[in-house]
Amino acid sequence: MASEDVKASESAVEKIVNLAEEAKLARQEIKPTSHAVISICKSLVAGGVAGGLSRTAVAPLERLKILLQVQNPHSIKYNGTISGLKYIWRTEGFKGLFKGNGTNCARIVPNSAVKFFSYEQASKGILYLYQQQTGNEDAQLTPLLRLGAGACAGIIAMSATYPMDMVRGRITVQTEKSPYQYRGMVHALSTILREEGPRALYKGWLPSVIGVIPYVGLNFAVYESLKDWLVKTKPLGLVDDSTELGVVTRLACGAVAGTVGQTVAYPLDVVRRRMQMVGWKDASFIVTGDGRSKASLEYSGMIDTFRKTVRYEGFRALYKGLVPNSVKVVPSIAIAFVTYEQVKDLLGVEIKISD
């Protein structure tokens, strides 16, 4: 009997020990999950701050670009960047330079947050599959794989916030003399839904998807590849012995990435803006400036928009607004990338899961 009691006691102790070990393992599994959630939230915040700050800094150039993209060739008010900014200042004042920026920030903050987060997650997933395929656990992303991850991130972010971009485009081209005013983001959304239907909120979506692949994809691919090249080769003494680049160098990488991406994708951006104006009863007045020469804005689709734009205005029309956009994109992309990384460092996003 005594031996049976001892065995029962040992069995009970063994069960308690096992339960304690299981509880410990469960706590260890939960802890990384909570860390991961916090890290995700911080990455989203960093992306949102980066997007809002970068777009506000270049808001006047952003508005001028859109006005040039949809401007009627028979009623041209300005041709250049400086003359365009002066015209907006003279006719609408300081507020005119930032018209539509509130809606743009309301769109770009979640867009940028989702884009940066999606890129990181897509990069991890693609890298894992690449390492499994090659059998090399030390393999790194190639420029082509980075292009794919950037394209995935861009499409996800753009699609999630596209109705905001549609509304922003229309609010941006309004002037003080427009016969009909969208009073704000909510009013514009409700008016478009009521007068044109839900599908109108996604006008120009297809060229946006096609354009986002080279634009965002090249942005990330060029930026990350250029950073890696600078760290490895250390040309002209731009990088010291550390593996981290300085803020100025990262700004330059972002500027190069933005220039390459926007130049390749720009014609698709022009087509998107023009398609967004279709169905808006007062669009012909707004894009002509004073309504004296109203041009038809009827396009049946992306190909038709390309064809009519080139036929009636020439191939150069596909690059209307490229100059202010180039001036805008360089600091915008650069500020976005650097702000994102700086905010991540400030928030301490890089958390060791094993801690």
Side-chain angles (χ1 to χ4, degrees), residues 269-288:
D269 191 51
V270 173
V271 168
R272 171 182 62 157
R273 291 299 172 201
R274 296 193 169 201
M275 290 179 69
Q276 288 177 346
M277 301 299 124
V278 175
W280 186 10
K281 62 182 181 180
D282 293 308
S284 59
F285 183 96
I286 290 169
V287 298
T288 60

Side-chain angles (χ1 to χ4, degrees), residues 15 25 33 44 49 58 62 91 93 125-126 142 158 163 179 182 227 248 253 288 310 349:
K15 288 181 179 179
L25 290 173
T33 302
L44 289 172
V49 172
V58 297
E62 175 70 12
T91 57
I126 291 173
T142 64
M158 184 275 298
Y182 291 127
K227 281 204 316 179
V248 175
C253 292
T288 60
V310 174
V349 173

